[in-house]
Amino acid sequence: MTTRLNPLKNQSPLSSSLIAFLLGSTASAGFLLSGMILPQKTFDFFSIQGLQSGSWDPSLLFTFCGALGTNVVLYHATRATCNKPLVGNSFQLPSVSTIDKKLIGGAALFGLGWGIGGFCPGPAIASIGLGNVLPAASIFAGFLTALLLEGKTTPSEIVSKNNNYVWIATLLATMSIASYVAPFSGFIFPSFSCSLFSGLQGGLLGGSLIGASVGLYMLLEGKVFGFSGVLRGLIDPNQEDKKPRYAVLLGLVLTAMALSRSVPMLAPAPRVRDAMISVF
């Protein structure tokens, strides 16, 4: 007999924003621990020369496994034990499962951009907390270009509809202030260290945190926690639920700023032959 969890009643915008902030923070910690916040991590993983020389960095593979494994377990546990999310009103699952040209083309463009720049949207936003604004600015410029190319909005609507200019101004101000404060984060946040915060262990732990943030969002809110969709909605004038999206951004940035001095992200990458040994 399956035990069904009872959802909470009377969800408030504050609780939704708080959940978004906490899970954005969890994902940001995962990005730092796994090294995904550094583009070199991506370059070292996809390096063909590294495969040939034996210097390939496999830790990103452990990140993928940790994220996928944690999310799969949480998702199926949620669907098996809950009639509806614990906080949200209902489960909102994707209804399209067709593999078409748009999906393949979009995935290819995503991979091309990731391989060239070394960032995907979540880590790019988190890197603002390290004082690196250019990746985030590029991500939002890409979102803005996509909105216009889709023909679903116009430049004037992006500025004026639903007071969207307020959120765009808030976003720009946040990016500017965070990039200025980031070099002084050592005076704000304490530092600490742990042997798990490096190498393959860091990759596995970081991936597990990323997967946990996605799985817990489904459990609590009943929605897919996709960073591209969450962050794109900040500048999309047709999206009205801006506060939780902005809370995700704050969680990503502030956590990266807080942990930046505690994670040895520049530790030497493990050799392929040592991969299965050093993780234990």
Side-chain angles (χ1 to χ4, degrees), residues 24-43 57 59-60 63-64 114 117-136 139 182 185 197 202-203 206-207 210 249-267:
S25 298
T26 302
S28 183
F31 293 143
L32 264 81
L33 292 177
S34 64
M36 289 184 68
I37 203 167
L38 288 181
Q40 192 61 44
K41 176 67 67 172
T42 300
F43 300 149
D57 180 1
S59 57
L60 201 57
T63 302
F64 295 155
W114 189 23
F119 282 107
C120 51
I125 303 304
S127 69
I128 298 174
L130 306 184
N132 193 4
V133 178
L134 183 58
I139 292 291
S185 62
F197 289 3
I210 297 169
L249 182 142
L250 283 181
L252 288 170
V253 173
L254 292 178
T255 301
M257 192 181 296
L259 296 180
S260 60
R261 296 194 309 129
S262 302
V263 181
M265 295 176 293
L266 299 180

Tab-separated table of all heavy atoms in Angstrom, residues 24-43 57 59-60 63-64 114 117-136 139 182 185 197 202-203 206-207 210 249-267:
chain	number	residue	atom	x	y	z
A	24	GLY	N	17.726	27.522	-5.693
A	24	GLY	CA	18.752	28.179	-6.490
A	24	GLY	C	20.095	28.148	-5.776
A	24	GLY	O	21.140	27.932	-6.395
A	25	SER	N	20.069	28.339	-4.464
A	25	SER	CA	21.292	28.265	-3.660
A	25	SER	C	21.879	26.860	-3.677
A	25	SER	O	23.107	26.687	-3.776
A	25	SER	CB	20.992	28.688	-2.218
A	25	SER	OG	20.540	30.019	-2.157
A	26	THR	N	21.020	25.858	-3.582
A	26	THR	CA	21.482	24.471	-3.615
A	26	THR	C	22.161	24.158	-4.946
A	26	THR	O	23.235	23.543	-4.989
A	26	THR	CB	20.293	23.514	-3.403
A	26	THR	OG1	19.672	23.803	-2.161
A	26	THR	CG2	20.760	22.062	-3.413
A	27	ALA	N	21.532	24.580	-6.031
A	27	ALA	CA	22.120	24.349	-7.353
A	27	ALA	C	23.437	25.090	-7.506
A	27	ALA	O	24.401	24.564	-8.075
A	27	ALA	CB	21.135	24.785	-8.435
A	28	SER	N	23.508	26.315	-6.990
A	28	SER	CA	24.741	27.095	-7.083
A	28	SER	C	25.888	26.407	-6.353
A	28	SER	O	27.019	26.358	-6.857
A	28	SER	CB	24.516	28.493	-6.502
A	28	SER	OG	25.665	29.290	-6.648
A	29	ALA	N	25.602	25.862	-5.172
A	29	ALA	CA	26.626	25.103	-4.452
A	29	ALA	C	27.089	23.914	-5.287
A	29	ALA	O	28.286	23.579	-5.323
A	29	ALA	CB	26.075	24.634	-3.107
A	30	GLY	N	26.147	23.279	-5.979
A	30	GLY	CA	26.512	22.168	-6.856
A	30	GLY	C	27.393	22.606	-8.008
A	30	GLY	O	28.347	21.909	-8.383
A	31	PHE	N	27.110	23.776	-8.571
A	31	PHE	CA	27.932	24.282	-9.671
A	31	PHE	C	29.365	24.555	-9.214
A	31	PHE	O	30.321	24.302	-9.944
A	31	PHE	CB	27.318	25.566	-10.244
A	31	PHE	CG	25.998	25.365	-10.926
A	31	PHE	CD1	24.994	26.327	-10.815
A	31	PHE	CD2	25.733	24.221	-11.665
A	31	PHE	CE1	23.769	26.147	-11.446
A	31	PHE	CE2	24.510	24.033	-12.287
A	31	PHE	CZ	23.528	24.998	-12.181
A	32	LEU	N	29.504	25.084	-8.002
A	32	LEU	CA	30.839	25.368	-7.501
A	32	LEU	C	31.594	24.091	-7.154
A	32	LEU	O	32.763	23.924	-7.527
A	32	LEU	CB	30.760	26.273	-6.267
A	32	LEU	CG	30.951	27.762	-6.567
A	32	LEU	CD1	29.653	28.361	-7.072
A	32	LEU	CD2	31.444	28.515	-5.341
A	33	LEU	N	30.936	23.182	-6.435
A	33	LEU	CA	31.608	21.955	-6.024
A	33	LEU	C	32.037	21.115	-7.227
A	33	LEU	O	33.085	20.483	-7.212
A	33	LEU	CB	30.690	21.133	-5.120
A	33	LEU	CG	30.381	21.730	-3.748
A	33	LEU	CD1	29.396	20.848	-2.997
A	33	LEU	CD2	31.646	21.919	-2.941
A	34	SER	N	31.213	21.116	-8.271
A	34	SER	CA	31.532	20.314	-9.458
A	34	SER	C	32.513	21.013	-10.385
A	34	SER	O	33.064	20.383	-11.293
A	34	SER	CB	30.240	20.014	-10.233
A	34	SER	OG	29.664	21.219	-10.736
A	35	GLY	N	32.747	22.307	-10.163
A	35	GLY	CA	33.638	23.054	-11.036
A	35	GLY	C	32.965	23.588	-12.284
A	35	GLY	O	33.636	24.197	-13.128
A	36	MET	N	31.648	23.362	-12.438
A	36	MET	CA	30.955	23.820	-13.641
A	36	MET	C	30.945	25.333	-13.773
A	36	MET	O	30.672	25.871	-14.854
A	36	MET	CB	29.520	23.303	-13.655
A	36	MET	CG	29.388	21.821	-13.906
A	36	MET	SD	27.653	21.308	-14.010
A	36	MET	CE	27.149	22.105	-15.542
A	37	ILE	N	31.253	26.036	-12.703
A	37	ILE	CA	31.265	27.488	-12.751
A	37	ILE	C	32.519	28.002	-13.460
A	37	ILE	O	32.627	29.182	-13.768
A	37	ILE	CB	31.166	28.054	-11.320
A	37	ILE	CG1	30.626	29.484	-11.333
A	37	ILE	CG2	32.506	27.968	-10.613
A	37	ILE	CD1	30.223	29.989	-9.973
A	38	LEU	N	33.470	27.107	-13.723
A	38	LEU	CA	34.674	27.452	-14.473
A	38	LEU	C	34.599	26.869	-15.876
A	38	LEU	O	34.402	25.661	-16.037
A	38	LEU	CB	35.916	26.895	-13.774
A	38	LEU	CG	36.355	27.566	-12.473
A	38	LEU	CD1	37.599	26.886	-11.948
A	38	LEU	CD2	36.621	29.045	-12.684
A	39	PRO	N	34.755	27.670	-16.910
A	39	PRO	CA	34.690	27.134	-18.279
A	39	PRO	C	35.769	26.099	-18.574
A	39	PRO	O	35.575	25.222	-19.408
A	39	PRO	CB	34.851	28.386	-19.156
A	39	PRO	CG	35.452	29.424	-18.276
A	39	PRO	CD	34.967	29.131	-16.899
A	40	GLN	N	36.900	26.193	-17.879
A	40	GLN	CA	37.981	25.243	-18.131
A	40	GLN	C	37.554	23.818	-17.821
A	40	GLN	O	38.050	22.862	-18.429
A	40	GLN	CB	39.216	25.612	-17.298
A	40	GLN	CG	40.480	24.861	-17.694
A	40	GLN	CD	40.882	25.133	-19.126
A	40	GLN	OE1	40.856	26.287	-19.577
A	40	GLN	NE2	41.239	24.094	-19.864
A	41	LYS	N	36.638	23.652	-16.865
A	41	LYS	CA	36.121	22.318	-16.539
A	41	LYS	C	35.449	21.692	-17.757
A	41	LYS	O	35.648	20.503	-18.050
A	41	LYS	CB	35.133	22.418	-15.380
A	41	LYS	CG	34.447	21.113	-15.003
A	41	LYS	CD	35.417	20.100	-14.419
A	41	LYS	CE	35.947	20.546	-13.093
A	41	LYS	NZ	36.744	19.467	-12.428
A	42	THR	N	34.670	22.479	-18.473
A	42	THR	CA	34.008	21.998	-19.688
A	42	THR	C	35.028	21.690	-20.771
A	42	THR	O	34.958	20.640	-21.430
A	42	THR	CB	33.016	23.051	-20.201
A	42	THR	OG1	32.039	23.307	-19.190
A	42	THR	CG2	32.317	22.570	-21.463
A	43	PHE	N	35.985	22.582	-20.962
A	43	PHE	CA	36.992	22.381	-22.002
A	43	PHE	C	37.809	21.116	-21.743
A	43	PHE	O	38.107	20.355	-22.670
A	43	PHE	CB	37.916	23.599	-22.082
A	43	PHE	CG	37.207	24.876	-22.414
A	43	PHE	CD1	37.672	26.093	-21.922
A	43	PHE	CD2	36.066	24.884	-23.205
A	43	PHE	CE1	37.021	27.275	-22.225
A	43	PHE	CE2	35.403	26.065	-23.511
A	43	PHE	CZ	35.884	27.261	-23.016
A	57	ASP	N	39.908	15.121	-18.024
A	57	ASP	CA	39.271	15.326	-16.725
A	57	ASP	C	37.879	14.683	-16.740
A	57	ASP	O	36.961	15.213	-17.357
A	57	ASP	CB	39.153	16.825	-16.444
A	57	ASP	CG	38.497	17.118	-15.097
A	57	ASP	OD1	38.156	16.159	-14.372
A	57	ASP	OD2	38.324	18.307	-14.769
A	59	SER	N	35.765	14.313	-14.241
A	59	SER	CA	34.910	14.656	-13.095
A	59	SER	C	33.537	15.156	-13.523
A	59	SER	O	32.554	14.983	-12.795
A	59	SER	CB	35.600	15.698	-12.211
A	59	SER	OG	35.920	16.861	-12.949
A	60	LEU	N	33.446	15.780	-14.708
A	60	LEU	CA	32.148	16.256	-15.163
A	60	LEU	C	31.198	15.099	-15.442
A	60	LEU	O	29.979	15.233	-15.297
A	60	LEU	CB	32.313	17.121	-16.421
A	60	LEU	CG	31.173	18.092	-16.744
A	60	LEU	CD1	30.916	19.042	-15.589
A	60	LEU	CD2	31.472	18.878	-18.019
A	63	THR	N	29.623	14.370	-12.324
A	63	THR	CA	28.596	15.385	-12.069
A	63	THR	C	27.291	15.010	-12.751
A	63	THR	O	26.208	15.094	-12.154
A	63	THR	CB	29.066	16.763	-12.572
A	63	THR	OG1	30.297	17.114	-11.928
A	63	THR	CG2	28.016	17.830	-12.292
A	64	PHE	N	27.367	14.596	-14.014
A	64	PHE	CA	26.167	14.176	-14.743
A	64	PHE	C	25.485	13.012	-14.046
A	64	PHE	O	24.256	12.997	-13.888
A	64	PHE	CB	26.533	13.777	-16.175
A	64	PHE	CG	27.065	14.896	-17.021
A	64	PHE	CD1	27.888	14.642	-18.099
A	64	PHE	CD2	26.756	16.212	-16.733
A	64	PHE	CE1	28.389	15.676	-18.886
A	64	PHE	CE2	27.244	17.256	-17.503
A	64	PHE	CZ	28.069	16.987	-18.584
A	114	TRP	N	27.814	25.801	-25.513
A	114	TRP	CA	28.460	25.315	-24.292
A	114	TRP	C	29.916	24.974	-24.565
A	114	TRP	O	30.813	25.284	-23.772
A	114	TRP	CB	27.693	24.101	-23.771
A	114	TRP	CG	28.117	23.642	-22.409
A	114	TRP	CD1	28.743	24.371	-21.452
A	114	TRP	CD2	27.927	22.334	-21.857
A	114	TRP	NE1	28.959	23.602	-20.321
A	114	TRP	CE2	28.465	22.354	-20.548
A	114	TRP	CE3	27.348	21.164	-22.324
A	114	TRP	CZ2	28.451	21.246	-19.724
A	114	TRP	CZ3	27.326	20.054	-21.495
A	114	TRP	CH2	27.870	20.093	-20.214
A	117	GLY	N	31.826	28.495	-25.314
A	117	GLY	CA	31.934	29.411	-24.185
A	117	GLY	C	32.287	28.762	-22.866
A	117	GLY	O	32.789	29.427	-21.953
A	118	GLY	N	31.998	27.473	-22.729
A	118	GLY	CA	32.298	26.773	-21.488
A	118	GLY	C	31.255	26.948	-20.408
A	118	GLY	O	31.432	26.442	-19.294
A	119	PHE	N	30.170	27.646	-20.705
A	119	PHE	CA	29.121	27.888	-19.720
A	119	PHE	C	27.771	27.416	-20.251
A	119	PHE	O	27.482	27.562	-21.440
A	119	PHE	CB	28.982	29.379	-19.398
A	119	PHE	CG	30.025	29.922	-18.475
A	119	PHE	CD1	31.031	30.744	-18.967
A	119	PHE	CD2	30.004	29.632	-17.122
A	119	PHE	CE1	31.990	31.262	-18.122
A	119	PHE	CE2	30.965	30.142	-16.267
A	119	PHE	CZ	31.965	30.963	-16.768
A	120	CYS	N	26.932	26.880	-19.364
A	120	CYS	CA	25.508	26.747	-19.638
A	120	CYS	C	24.799	27.743	-18.712
A	120	CYS	O	25.438	28.347	-17.844
A	120	CYS	CB	25.022	25.317	-19.434
A	120	CYS	SG	25.458	24.553	-17.875
A	121	PRO	N	23.491	27.987	-18.871
A	121	PRO	CA	22.859	29.130	-18.193
A	121	PRO	C	23.040	29.189	-16.681
A	121	PRO	O	23.360	30.262	-16.139
A	121	PRO	CB	21.380	28.960	-18.579
A	121	PRO	CG	21.428	28.317	-19.922
A	121	PRO	CD	22.580	27.365	-19.855
A	122	GLY	N	22.819	28.084	-15.967
A	122	GLY	CA	22.914	28.124	-14.512
A	122	GLY	C	24.278	28.576	-14.009
A	122	GLY	O	24.388	29.554	-13.249
A	123	PRO	N	25.362	27.888	-14.393
A	123	PRO	CA	26.690	28.321	-13.968
A	123	PRO	C	27.064	29.730	-14.439
A	123	PRO	O	27.792	30.440	-13.756
A	123	PRO	CB	27.615	27.274	-14.604
A	123	PRO	CG	26.762	26.056	-14.741
A	123	PRO	CD	25.395	26.573	-15.068
A	124	ALA	N	26.567	30.135	-15.607
A	124	ALA	CA	26.869	31.481	-16.103
A	124	ALA	C	26.305	32.543	-15.157
A	124	ALA	O	26.975	33.539	-14.861
A	124	ALA	CB	26.291	31.668	-17.504
A	125	ILE	N	25.068	32.318	-14.675
A	125	ILE	CA	24.476	33.270	-13.734
A	125	ILE	C	25.202	33.217	-12.392
A	125	ILE	O	25.479	34.248	-11.783
A	125	ILE	CB	22.975	32.990	-13.548
A	125	ILE	CG1	22.255	33.050	-14.895
A	125	ILE	CG2	22.365	33.986	-12.575
A	125	ILE	CD1	22.422	34.333	-15.648
A	126	ALA	N	25.519	32.019	-11.929
A	126	ALA	CA	26.226	31.887	-10.656
A	126	ALA	C	27.584	32.582	-10.693
A	126	ALA	O	28.052	33.101	-9.670
A	126	ALA	CB	26.389	30.407	-10.303
A	127	SER	N	28.215	32.614	-11.857
A	127	SER	CA	29.543	33.219	-11.965
A	127	SER	C	29.524	34.724	-11.712
A	127	SER	O	30.571	35.324	-11.498
A	127	SER	CB	30.158	32.927	-13.343
A	127	SER	OG	29.477	33.621	-14.375
A	128	ILE	N	28.333	35.335	-11.719
A	128	ILE	CA	28.241	36.748	-11.330
A	128	ILE	C	28.771	36.916	-9.914
A	128	ILE	O	29.395	37.928	-9.581
A	128	ILE	CB	26.780	37.243	-11.412
A	128	ILE	CG1	26.255	37.152	-12.843
A	128	ILE	CG2	26.664	38.675	-10.908
A	128	ILE	CD1	24.769	37.484	-12.964
A	129	GLY	N	28.525	35.905	-9.068
A	129	GLY	CA	29.000	35.953	-7.694
A	129	GLY	C	30.508	35.911	-7.575
A	129	GLY	O	31.059	36.191	-6.516
A	130	LEU	N	31.193	35.570	-8.662
A	130	LEU	CA	32.654	35.596	-8.687
A	130	LEU	C	33.167	36.860	-9.372
A	130	LEU	O	34.365	37.001	-9.617
A	130	LEU	CB	33.203	34.364	-9.427
A	130	LEU	CG	32.724	32.998	-8.938
A	130	LEU	CD1	33.425	31.891	-9.712
A	130	LEU	CD2	32.943	32.832	-7.450
A	131	GLY	N	32.237	37.763	-9.736
A	131	GLY	CA	32.626	38.986	-10.412
A	131	GLY	C	32.715	38.865	-11.911
A	131	GLY	O	33.211	39.771	-12.590
A	132	ASN	N	32.219	37.761	-12.458
A	132	ASN	CA	32.295	37.506	-13.892
A	132	ASN	C	30.920	37.747	-14.514
A	132	ASN	O	30.048	36.881	-14.471
A	132	ASN	CB	32.751	36.062	-14.141
A	132	ASN	CG	33.142	35.825	-15.575
A	132	ASN	OD1	33.148	36.751	-16.393
A	132	ASN	ND2	33.495	34.595	-15.894
A	133	VAL	N	30.704	38.919	-15.089
A	133	VAL	CA	29.390	39.310	-15.582
A	133	VAL	C	29.174	38.943	-17.050
A	133	VAL	O	28.042	38.714	-17.474
A	133	VAL	CB	29.173	40.829	-15.391
A	133	VAL	CG1	27.829	41.268	-15.942
A	133	VAL	CG2	29.269	41.195	-13.921
A	134	LEU	N	30.252	38.883	-17.833
A	134	LEU	CA	30.118	38.701	-19.278
A	134	LEU	C	29.347	37.437	-19.668
A	134	LEU	O	28.473	37.506	-20.551
A	134	LEU	CB	31.499	38.703	-19.934
A	134	LEU	CG	31.516	38.589	-21.462
A	134	LEU	CD1	30.734	39.727	-22.084
A	134	LEU	CD2	32.949	38.564	-21.980
A	135	PRO	N	29.602	36.259	-19.043
A	135	PRO	CA	28.816	35.073	-19.418
A	135	PRO	C	27.321	35.258	-19.197
A	135	PRO	O	26.509	34.874	-20.045
A	135	PRO	CB	29.382	33.967	-18.515
A	135	PRO	CG	30.752	34.428	-18.175
A	135	PRO	CD	30.662	35.914	-18.074
A	136	ALA	N	26.944	35.850	-18.066
A	136	ALA	CA	25.522	36.078	-17.782
A	136	ALA	C	24.919	37.061	-18.772
A	136	ALA	O	23.793	36.867	-19.254
A	136	ALA	CB	25.349	36.596	-16.357
A	139	ILE	N	24.236	35.259	-21.915
A	139	ILE	CA	23.070	34.382	-21.796
A	139	ILE	C	21.779	35.173	-21.969
A	139	ILE	O	20.881	34.793	-22.731
A	139	ILE	CB	23.074	33.662	-20.438
A	139	ILE	CG1	24.224	32.655	-20.351
A	139	ILE	CG2	21.736	32.956	-20.186
A	139	ILE	CD1	24.100	31.449	-21.252
A	182	ALA	N	31.693	41.336	-5.346
A	182	ALA	CA	32.323	40.015	-5.355
A	182	ALA	C	33.777	40.014	-4.892
A	182	ALA	O	34.169	39.143	-4.102
A	182	ALA	CB	32.204	39.396	-6.753
A	185	SER	N	34.093	39.748	-1.132
A	185	SER	CA	33.295	38.728	-0.443
A	185	SER	C	34.042	38.105	0.723
A	185	SER	O	33.430	37.593	1.664
A	185	SER	CB	32.864	37.638	-1.428
A	185	SER	OG	33.992	36.969	-1.976
A	197	PHE	N	35.567	18.782	-1.420
A	197	PHE	CA	35.286	19.900	-2.311
A	197	PHE	C	36.255	19.967	-3.481
A	197	PHE	O	36.619	21.034	-3.936
A	197	PHE	CB	35.368	21.224	-1.533
A	197	PHE	CG	34.245	21.434	-0.564
A	197	PHE	CD1	33.267	20.473	-0.369
A	197	PHE	CD2	34.170	22.603	0.161
A	197	PHE	CE1	32.233	20.677	0.535
A	197	PHE	CE2	33.138	22.817	1.063
A	197	PHE	CZ	32.172	21.844	1.252
A	202	GLY	N	34.128	16.087	-5.540
A	202	GLY	CA	33.397	17.327	-5.716
A	202	GLY	C	32.430	17.258	-6.875
A	202	GLY	O	31.321	17.788	-6.813
A	203	GLY	N	32.855	16.584	-7.967
A	203	GLY	CA	31.975	16.429	-9.114
A	203	GLY	C	30.722	15.642	-8.777
A	203	GLY	O	29.609	16.022	-9.158
A	206	GLY	N	28.651	17.687	-6.161
A	206	GLY	CA	28.036	18.833	-6.819
A	206	GLY	C	26.885	18.428	-7.713
A	206	GLY	O	25.819	19.048	-7.710
A	207	GLY	N	27.077	17.349	-8.479
A	207	GLY	CA	25.996	16.857	-9.331
A	207	GLY	C	24.791	16.418	-8.527
A	207	GLY	O	23.646	16.653	-8.930
A	210	ILE	N	22.829	19.464	-7.583
A	210	ILE	CA	22.085	19.989	-8.728
A	210	ILE	C	20.833	19.147	-8.969
A	210	ILE	O	19.731	19.670	-9.166
A	210	ILE	CB	22.978	20.013	-9.982
A	210	ILE	CG1	24.161	20.965	-9.775
A	210	ILE	CG2	22.170	20.440	-11.214
A	210	ILE	CD1	25.230	20.845	-10.840
A	249	LEU	N	17.731	33.573	-9.188
A	249	LEU	CA	18.944	34.297	-9.562
A	249	LEU	C	19.726	34.742	-8.336
A	249	LEU	O	20.955	34.589	-8.279
A	249	LEU	CB	18.576	35.494	-10.438
A	249	LEU	CG	19.740	36.337	-10.966
A	249	LEU	CD1	19.468	36.799	-12.393
A	249	LEU	CD2	19.984	37.565	-10.081
A	250	LEU	N	19.031	35.273	-7.340
A	250	LEU	CA	19.714	35.699	-6.119
A	250	LEU	C	20.370	34.512	-5.412
A	250	LEU	O	21.489	34.626	-4.906
A	250	LEU	CB	18.725	36.381	-5.179
A	250	LEU	CG	18.314	37.817	-5.505
A	250	LEU	CD1	17.349	38.331	-4.449
A	250	LEU	CD2	19.528	38.727	-5.610
A	251	GLY	N	19.672	33.391	-5.375
A	251	GLY	CA	20.250	32.205	-4.755
A	251	GLY	C	21.511	31.752	-5.459
A	251	GLY	O	22.513	31.392	-4.819
A	252	LEU	N	21.493	31.774	-6.780
A	252	LEU	CA	22.672	31.378	-7.565
A	252	LEU	C	23.849	32.306	-7.279
A	252	LEU	O	24.980	31.860	-7.031
A	252	LEU	CB	22.333	31.413	-9.058
A	252	LEU	CG	21.406	30.320	-9.596
A	252	LEU	CD1	20.982	30.645	-11.020
A	252	LEU	CD2	22.094	28.961	-9.558
A	253	VAL	N	23.590	33.610	-7.302
A	253	VAL	CA	24.670	34.591	-7.188
A	253	VAL	C	25.229	34.660	-5.772
A	253	VAL	O	26.450	34.606	-5.560
A	253	VAL	CB	24.167	35.983	-7.631
A	253	VAL	CG1	25.221	37.049	-7.344
A	253	VAL	CG2	23.823	35.971	-9.110
A	254	LEU	N	24.367	34.768	-4.768
A	254	LEU	CA	24.826	34.941	-3.394
A	254	LEU	C	25.550	33.707	-2.868
A	254	LEU	O	26.543	33.829	-2.143
A	254	LEU	CB	23.643	35.289	-2.485
A	254	LEU	CG	23.006	36.662	-2.734
A	254	LEU	CD1	21.823	36.875	-1.808
A	254	LEU	CD2	24.028	37.780	-2.558
A	255	THR	N	25.076	32.527	-3.229
A	255	THR	CA	25.740	31.307	-2.767
A	255	THR	C	27.107	31.157	-3.411
A	255	THR	O	28.074	30.745	-2.752
A	255	THR	CB	24.870	30.075	-3.072
A	255	THR	OG1	23.611	30.232	-2.419
A	255	THR	CG2	25.533	28.806	-2.575
A	256	ALA	N	27.205	31.487	-4.695
A	256	ALA	CA	28.512	31.445	-5.353
A	256	ALA	C	29.476	32.421	-4.698
A	256	ALA	O	30.660	32.114	-4.487
A	256	ALA	CB	28.353	31.769	-6.840
A	257	MET	N	28.979	33.588	-4.333
A	257	MET	CA	29.814	34.587	-3.667
A	257	MET	C	30.261	34.086	-2.290
A	257	MET	O	31.423	34.263	-1.886
A	257	MET	CB	29.022	35.887	-3.525
A	257	MET	CG	29.851	37.090	-3.115
A	257	MET	SD	28.823	38.584	-2.950
A	257	MET	CE	28.266	38.795	-4.637
A	258	ALA	N	29.344	33.430	-1.576
A	258	ALA	CA	29.649	32.963	-0.219
A	258	ALA	C	30.648	31.811	-0.209
A	258	ALA	O	31.492	31.709	0.681
A	258	ALA	CB	28.360	32.545	0.483
A	259	LEU	N	30.566	30.924	-1.197
A	259	LEU	CA	31.398	29.722	-1.195
A	259	LEU	C	32.648	29.847	-2.053
A	259	LEU	O	33.462	28.926	-2.081
A	259	LEU	CB	30.579	28.519	-1.701
A	259	LEU	CG	29.385	28.088	-0.851
A	259	LEU	CD1	28.699	26.890	-1.490
A	259	LEU	CD2	29.830	27.749	0.576
A	260	SER	N	32.817	30.957	-2.736
A	260	SER	CA	33.892	31.061	-3.717
A	260	SER	C	35.277	30.882	-3.109
A	260	SER	O	36.198	30.389	-3.771
A	260	SER	CB	33.817	32.405	-4.443
A	260	SER	OG	33.953	33.479	-3.517
A	261	ARG	N	35.455	31.264	-1.852
A	261	ARG	CA	36.781	31.137	-1.222
A	261	ARG	C	36.970	29.790	-0.552
A	261	ARG	O	38.057	29.516	-0.033
A	261	ARG	CB	36.978	32.247	-0.181
A	261	ARG	CG	36.979	33.650	-0.782
A	261	ARG	CD	37.514	34.662	0.207
A	261	ARG	NE	36.868	34.572	1.503
A	261	ARG	CZ	37.510	34.474	2.662
A	261	ARG	NH1	38.812	34.406	2.687
A	261	ARG	NH2	36.837	34.427	3.793
A	262	SER	N	35.950	28.951	-0.547
A	262	SER	CA	36.028	27.689	0.189
A	262	SER	C	36.164	26.470	-0.705
A	262	SER	O	36.426	25.378	-0.222
A	262	SER	CB	34.772	27.524	1.069
A	262	SER	OG	34.648	28.604	1.962
A	263	VAL	N	35.975	26.640	-2.005
A	263	VAL	CA	36.011	25.513	-2.926
A	263	VAL	C	37.265	25.597	-3.788
A	263	VAL	O	37.437	26.557	-4.537
A	263	VAL	CB	34.765	25.492	-3.832
A	263	VAL	CG1	34.803	24.307	-4.771
A	263	VAL	CG2	33.507	25.454	-2.982
A	264	PRO	N	38.178	24.625	-3.674
A	264	PRO	CA	39.420	24.645	-4.469
A	264	PRO	C	39.149	24.278	-5.920
A	264	PRO	O	39.461	23.186	-6.371
A	264	PRO	CB	40.292	23.599	-3.769
A	264	PRO	CG	39.322	22.638	-3.184
A	264	PRO	CD	38.106	23.455	-2.792
A	265	MET	N	38.560	25.200	-6.674
A	265	MET	CA	38.120	24.893	-8.035
A	265	MET	C	39.278	24.734	-9.011
A	265	MET	O	39.112	24.182	-10.095
A	265	MET	CB	37.180	25.986	-8.540
A	265	MET	CG	35.874	26.073	-7.782
A	265	MET	SD	34.846	27.443	-8.345
A	265	MET	CE	35.830	28.841	-7.828
A	266	LEU	N	40.451	25.217	-8.631
A	266	LEU	CA	41.579	25.143	-9.542
A	266	LEU	C	42.504	23.984	-9.210
A	266	LEU	O	43.651	23.963	-9.654
A	266	LEU	CB	42.362	26.472	-9.502
A	266	LEU	CG	41.565	27.713	-9.920
A	266	LEU	CD1	42.444	28.957	-9.829
A	266	LEU	CD2	41.043	27.556	-11.340
A	267	ALA	N	42.020	23.017	-8.432
A	267	ALA	CA	42.825	21.841	-8.118
A	267	ALA	C	43.113	21.052	-9.388
A	267	ALA	O	42.310	21.024	-10.311
A	267	ALA	CB	42.092	20.948	-7.117
